[in-house]
PDB file of all heavy atoms in Angstrom:
ATOM      1  N   ILE X 210     125.758  66.084 121.962  1.00 96.00           N
ATOM      2  CA  ILE X 210     127.136  66.487 121.702  1.00 96.00           C
ATOM      3  C   ILE X 210     127.260  67.981 121.940  1.00 96.00           C
ATOM      4  O   ILE X 210     126.400  68.762 121.478  1.00 96.00           O
ATOM      5  CB  ILE X 210     127.535  66.154 120.228  1.00 96.00           C
ATOM      6  CG1 ILE X 210     127.552  64.658 120.069  1.00 96.00           C
ATOM      7  CG2 ILE X 210     128.909  66.768 119.863  1.00 96.00           C
ATOM      8  CD1 ILE X 210     127.636  64.173 118.580  1.00 96.00           C
ATOM      9  N   PHE X 211     128.288  68.430 122.622  1.00 97.00           N
ATOM     10  CA  PHE X 211     128.544  69.834 122.852  1.00 97.00           C
ATOM     11  C   PHE X 211     129.596  70.285 121.832  1.00 97.00           C
ATOM     12  O   PHE X 211     130.591  69.581 121.565  1.00 97.00           O
ATOM     13  CB  PHE X 211     129.038  70.117 124.237  1.00 97.00           C
ATOM     14  CG  PHE X 211     127.993  69.892 125.313  1.00 97.00           C
ATOM     15  CD1 PHE X 211     128.104  68.736 126.130  1.00 97.00           C
ATOM     16  CD2 PHE X 211     126.908  70.743 125.487  1.00 97.00           C
ATOM     17  CE1 PHE X 211     127.165  68.494 127.111  1.00 97.00           C
ATOM     18  CE2 PHE X 211     125.978  70.493 126.487  1.00 97.00           C
ATOM     19  CZ  PHE X 211     126.103  69.360 127.309  1.00 97.00           C
ATOM     20  N   TYR X 212     129.458  71.511 121.256  1.00 96.00           N
ATOM     21  CA  TYR X 212     130.508  72.076 120.404  1.00 96.00           C
ATOM     22  C   TYR X 212     130.690  73.555 120.698  1.00 96.00           C
ATOM     23  O   TYR X 212     129.716  74.206 121.030  1.00 96.00           O
ATOM     24  CB  TYR X 212     130.242  71.786 118.931  1.00 96.00           C
ATOM     25  CG  TYR X 212     129.060  72.532 118.299  1.00 96.00           C
ATOM     26  CD1 TYR X 212     129.266  73.718 117.622  1.00 96.00           C
ATOM     27  CD2 TYR X 212     127.775  72.039 118.417  1.00 96.00           C
ATOM     28  CE1 TYR X 212     128.183  74.382 117.040  1.00 96.00           C
ATOM     29  CE2 TYR X 212     126.726  72.683 117.855  1.00 96.00           C
ATOM     30  CZ  TYR X 212     126.878  73.866 117.135  1.00 96.00           C
ATOM     31  OH  TYR X 212     125.880  74.507 116.588  1.00 96.00           O
ATOM     32  N   PRO X 213     131.923  74.010 120.718  1.00 97.00           N
ATOM     33  CA  PRO X 213     132.211  75.396 121.109  1.00 97.00           C
ATOM     34  C   PRO X 213     131.800  76.391 120.019  1.00 97.00           C
ATOM     35  O   PRO X 213     131.997  76.168 118.845  1.00 97.00           O
ATOM     36  CB  PRO X 213     133.730  75.408 121.322  1.00 97.00           C
ATOM     37  CG  PRO X 213     134.225  74.302 120.514  1.00 97.00           C
ATOM     38  CD  PRO X 213     133.151  73.288 120.311  1.00 97.00           C
ATOM     39  N   ILE X 214     131.305  77.556 120.436  1.00 96.00           N
ATOM     40  CA  ILE X 214     131.010  78.636 119.463  1.00 96.00           C
ATOM     41  C   ILE X 214     131.571  79.943 120.064  1.00 96.00           C
ATOM     42  O   ILE X 214     131.918  80.008 121.249  1.00 96.00           O
ATOM     43  CB  ILE X 214     129.461  78.801 119.324  1.00 96.00           C
ATOM     44  CG1 ILE X 214     128.727  78.914 120.632  1.00 96.00           C
ATOM     45  CG2 ILE X 214     128.932  77.622 118.465  1.00 96.00           C
ATOM     46  CD1 ILE X 214     127.304  79.369 120.494  1.00 96.00           C
ATOM     47  N   ASP X 215     131.650  80.971 119.202  1.00 96.00           N
ATOM     48  CA  ASP X 215     132.116  82.260 119.690  1.00 96.00           C
ATOM     49  C   ASP X 215     130.918  83.178 119.952  1.00 96.00           C
ATOM     50  O   ASP X 215     129.765  82.816 119.743  1.00 96.00           O
ATOM     51  CB  ASP X 215     133.100  82.898 118.762  1.00 96.00           C
ATOM     52  CG  ASP X 215     132.481  83.136 117.344  1.00 96.00           C
ATOM     53  OD1 ASP X 215     131.244  83.107 117.243  1.00 96.00           O
ATOM     54  OD2 ASP X 215     133.222  83.342 116.382  1.00 96.00           O
ATOM     55  N   GLU X 216     131.257  84.369 120.498  1.00 96.00           N
ATOM     56  CA  GLU X 216     130.244  85.326 120.968  1.00 96.00           C
ATOM     57  C   GLU X 216     129.247  85.676 119.762  1.00 96.00           C
ATOM     58  O   GLU X 216     128.036  85.721 119.979  1.00 96.00           O
ATOM     59  CB  GLU X 216     130.931  86.593 121.448  1.00 96.00           C
ATOM     60  CG  GLU X 216     130.016  87.628 122.031  1.00 96.00           C
ATOM     61  CD  GLU X 216     129.856  87.436 123.543  1.00 96.00           C
ATOM     62  OE1 GLU X 216     130.873  87.163 124.224  1.00 96.00           O
ATOM     63  OE2 GLU X 216     128.722  87.537 123.995  1.00 96.00           O
ATOM     64  N   ALA X 217     129.771  85.846 118.562  1.00 94.00           N
ATOM     65  CA  ALA X 217     128.963  86.311 117.401  1.00 94.00           C
ATOM     66  C   ALA X 217     127.956  85.135 117.030  1.00 94.00           C
ATOM     67  O   ALA X 217     126.801  85.424 116.873  1.00 94.00           O
ATOM     68  CB  ALA X 217     129.849  86.565 116.210  1.00 94.00           C
ATOM     69  N   GLU X 218     128.465  83.903 117.075  1.00 92.00           N
ATOM     70  CA  GLU X 218     127.617  82.768 116.776  1.00 92.00           C
ATOM     71  C   GLU X 218     126.531  82.605 117.851  1.00 92.00           C
ATOM     72  O   GLU X 218     125.351  82.304 117.576  1.00 92.00           O
ATOM     73  CB  GLU X 218     128.463  81.486 116.692  1.00 92.00           C
ATOM     74  CG  GLU X 218     127.739  80.269 116.307  1.00 92.00           C
ATOM     75  CD  GLU X 218     127.278  80.199 114.847  1.00 92.00           C
ATOM     76  OE1 GLU X 218     127.351  81.228 114.133  1.00 92.00           O
ATOM     77  OE2 GLU X 218     126.746  79.133 114.428  1.00 92.00           O
ATOM     78  N   TYR X 219     126.923  82.829 119.082  1.00 93.00           N
ATOM     79  CA  TYR X 219     126.009  82.771 120.223  1.00 93.00           C
ATOM     80  C   TYR X 219     124.854  83.740 119.995  1.00 93.00           C
ATOM     81  O   TYR X 219     123.677  83.349 120.113  1.00 93.00           O
ATOM     82  CB  TYR X 219     126.767  83.127 121.500  1.00 93.00           C
ATOM     83  CG  TYR X 219     125.867  83.057 122.760  1.00 93.00           C
ATOM     84  CD1 TYR X 219     125.789  81.864 123.524  1.00 93.00           C
ATOM     85  CD2 TYR X 219     125.175  84.122 123.159  1.00 93.00           C
ATOM     86  CE1 TYR X 219     125.022  81.803 124.641  1.00 93.00           C
ATOM     87  CE2 TYR X 219     124.367  84.100 124.347  1.00 93.00           C
ATOM     88  CZ  TYR X 219     124.297  82.862 125.013  1.00 93.00           C
ATOM     89  OH  TYR X 219     123.505  82.855 126.172  1.00 93.00           O
ATOM     90  N   GLU X 220     125.164  84.989 119.677  1.00 93.00           N
ATOM     91  CA  GLU X 220     124.131  86.009 119.434  1.00 93.00           C
ATOM     92  C   GLU X 220     123.261  85.648 118.297  1.00 93.00           C
ATOM     93  O   GLU X 220     122.062  85.830 118.314  1.00 93.00           O
ATOM     94  CB  GLU X 220     124.803  87.399 119.252  1.00 93.00           C
ATOM     95  CG  GLU X 220     125.306  88.036 120.524  1.00 93.00           C
ATOM     96  CD  GLU X 220     124.286  88.104 121.691  1.00 93.00           C
ATOM     97  OE1 GLU X 220     123.097  88.318 121.326  1.00 93.00           O
ATOM     98  OE2 GLU X 220     124.650  87.881 122.821  1.00 93.00           O
ATOM     99  N   ARG X 221     123.925  85.095 117.230  1.00 90.00           N
ATOM    100  CA  ARG X 221     123.140  84.749 116.034  1.00 90.00           C
ATOM    101  C   ARG X 221     122.090  83.646 116.349  1.00 90.00           C
ATOM    102  O   ARG X 221     120.919  83.801 116.045  1.00 90.00           O
ATOM    103  CB  ARG X 221     124.067  84.279 114.940  1.00 90.00           C
ATOM    104  CG  ARG X 221     123.339  84.046 113.594  1.00 90.00           C
ATOM    105  CD  ARG X 221     124.323  83.393 112.522  1.00 90.00           C
ATOM    106  NE  ARG X 221     124.560  81.954 112.830  1.00 90.00           N
ATOM    107  CZ  ARG X 221     123.719  80.982 112.666  1.00 90.00           C
ATOM    108  NH1 ARG X 221     122.537  81.210 112.161  1.00 90.00           N
ATOM    109  NH2 ARG X 221     124.080  79.773 113.002  1.00 90.00           N
ATOM    110  N   ILE X 222     122.529  82.646 117.021  1.00 89.00           N
ATOM    111  CA  ILE X 222     121.618  81.504 117.354  1.00 89.00           C
ATOM    112  C   ILE X 222     120.548  81.976 118.294  1.00 89.00           C
ATOM    113  O   ILE X 222     119.368  81.612 118.184  1.00 89.00           O
ATOM    114  CB  ILE X 222     122.395  80.297 117.947  1.00 89.00           C
ATOM    115  CG1 ILE X 222     123.418  79.781 116.968  1.00 89.00           C
ATOM    116  CG2 ILE X 222     121.427  79.182 118.398  1.00 89.00           C
ATOM    117  CD1 ILE X 222     124.351  78.660 117.473  1.00 89.00           C
TER     118      ILE X 222
END
Side-chain angles (χ1 to χ4, degrees):
Chain X
I210 294 166
F211 294 106
Y212 68 98
I214 53 167
D215 60 16
E216 187 90 44
E218 183 70 352
Y219 181 91
E220 284 307 324
R221 189 188 68 77
I222 297 172

